[in-house]
Amino acid sequence: MKLVTYRASVEAAAKLGVMDGDLVVDVARLGAMMGEDLPDSMLALIDAGRPGLATLKACLEGAEGDYTTGVATDLANVTLLAPIPRPRKNIFGIGLNYVEHVAESAASLDTSKDLPKQPVIFSKPPTTIIGPGCAIEHNAKITQQLDWEVELAVIIGTTARRVTRENALNHVFGYSVMIDISARDNRRAGQWIFSKGQDTYAPFGPCIITADDIPDPQTLDLWLTVNGVEKQRSNTRHMLFKVDTLIADISAGITLEPGDIIASGTPEGVGAGRTPQEWLWPGDVVVATVEGIGTIRHPIVNATPD
């Protein structure tokens, strides 16, 4: 299933939806139509676990595409939000997780040329999250080196504490697309959180596709363009540390909880690794895609003063 968070109008509250062709089905109203109590938010659905997903799937199958008034809306007439508009915790970012990106980072960002022996983990606050189509802010007072990174996002479905690699994927709720925006000139004494954690630095969406529709997350093409020019293209099979390893590694010391997000790293082709280096500027448009999940498109704009 492709699950979304959306608004039917500017004034409307955010709703949980499921994409059915060119329609977005209101999950809570679908439940009422089918005599079931279904969640009205993505986090509530994640908290409902496998039984919640099973009930939702049964309701969709039972409806057979025949929805009463108000249950389904044309996709073109809704506004998609970030699938989880406000995560409960910081996003777990993974650095240097594609071999070629390790090499380009060593050449341009003074990181080690040696492949990491363990996942490199950093953090992005919940306030970095923006939904599809929203603007990425360029604050010229802070950065002149705004960069792009397309990533597969992994959403945790059940609590993972000291899990094995073999069991790790059983804890995944689904997958999405994320752009890890980075202000390269804002790294501080080797620490990345200010560089990667500023407002609007985690475009996220357009949906979460449930894990049953992606049995192997290491087979997905992913790519990114800036102003229509391709900058990154790779496949998740080239990850140095696969998704199951990332979950096992993080959960060895930090409990992963339902709704947690792991941004699993980016391939080569970032702006800092190019000759000459390239950066994002107001007026640019960055577009990121992960195969089988979807595409997000974001303009770069000047940060507005408070």
Side-chain angles (χ1 to χ4, degrees):
M1 285 184 289
K2 285 190 173 182
L3 301 165
V4 297
T5 299
Y6 74 102
R7 284 197 180 98
S9 67
V10 174
E11 298 81 13
K15 296 182 177 184
L16 173 65
V18 58
M19 294 176 65
D20 183 0
D22 293 329
L23 297 176
V24 174
V25 179
D26 183 324
V27 168
R29 289 189 176 183
L30 171 67
M33 184 182 95
M34 302 300 292
E36 296 283 354
D37 184 17
L38 287 175
D40 61 359
S41 74
M42 191 72 73
L43 286 174
L45 180 62
I46 294 172
D47 288 343
R50 290 186 180 88
L53 280 177
T55 300
L56 173 54
K57 185 173 290 188
C59 286
L60 287 168
E61 292 172 351
E64 296 182 328
D66 185 13
Y67 304 112
T68 58
T69 302
V71 172
T73 306
D74 287 342
L75 177 60
N77 294 332
V78 306
T79 299
L80 296 182
L81 309 178
I84 303 174
R86 175 76 184 198
R88 291 167 175 151
K89 287 158 50 179
N90 282 13
I91 299 154
F92 293 92
I94 307 298
L96 306 173
N97 200 29
Y98 287 72
V99 173
E100 293 84 357
H101 183 52
V102 172
E104 71 176 358
S105 294
S108 59
L109 295 172
D110 300 323
T111 55
S112 174
K113 68 180 185 304
D114 298 327
L115 296 180
K117 299 185 184 305
Q118 296 174 299
V120 177
I121 304 169
F122 60 91
S123 180
K124 294 173 80 79
T127 46
T128 58
I129 291 285
I130 57 173
C134 292
I136 299 165
E137 293 186 352
H138 182 284
N139 188 342
K141 293 182 179 179
I142 294 178
T143 181
Q144 298 294 305
Q145 297 183 358
L146 198 65
D147 207 346
W148 58 80
E149 298 187 4
V150 58
E151 311 206 357
L152 172 69
V154 181
I155 295 84
I156 298 298
T158 57
T159 300
R161 183 172 184 266
R162 299 175 187 168
V163 302
T164 64
R165 182 180 60 79
E166 292 74 17
N167 190 45
L169 293 185
N170 293 328
H171 294 271
V172 175
F173 177 80
Y175 301 93
S176 191
V177 184
M178 184 167 285
I179 306 175
D180 176 16
I181 296 294
S182 307
R184 301 295 188 188
D185 46 0
N186 280 204
R187 293 173 294 151
R188 297 181 176 181
Q191 298 298 311
W192 296 358
I193 189 168
F194 195 70
S195 168
K196 292 174 171 287
Q198 294 179 38
D199 294 353
T200 75
Y201 278 20
F204 177 37
C207 64
I208 294 174
I209 185 165
T210 51
D212 58 327
D213 283 337
I214 301 183
D216 184 358
Q218 307 304 155
T219 62
L220 306 175
D221 287 338
L222 68 170
W223 62 95
L224 178 144
T225 66
V226 178
N227 301 329
V229 178
E230 187 171 285
K231 302 297 183 181
Q232 292 181 280
R233 179 173 288 272
S234 189
N235 187 283
T236 54
R237 67 175 176 271
H238 298 302
M239 283 184 190
L240 183 58
F241 301 104
K242 312 304 185 188
V243 171
D244 54 5
T245 299
L246 296 176
I247 293 170
D249 181 77
I250 295 170
S251 74
I254 302 172
T255 299
L256 290 168
E257 298 175 309
D260 283 353
I261 302 167
I262 301 171
S264 60
T266 199
E268 71 280 7
V270 301
R274 294 178 171 270
T275 305
Q277 291 179 325
E278 300 176 14
W279 310 113
L280 293 169
W281 300 101
D284 289 342
V285 176
V286 60
V287 179
T289 303
V290 178
E291 177 188 9
I293 299 174
T295 297
I296 49 176
R297 179 185 184 276
H298 298 269
I300 314 301
V301 302
N302 286 305
T304 55
D306 291 335

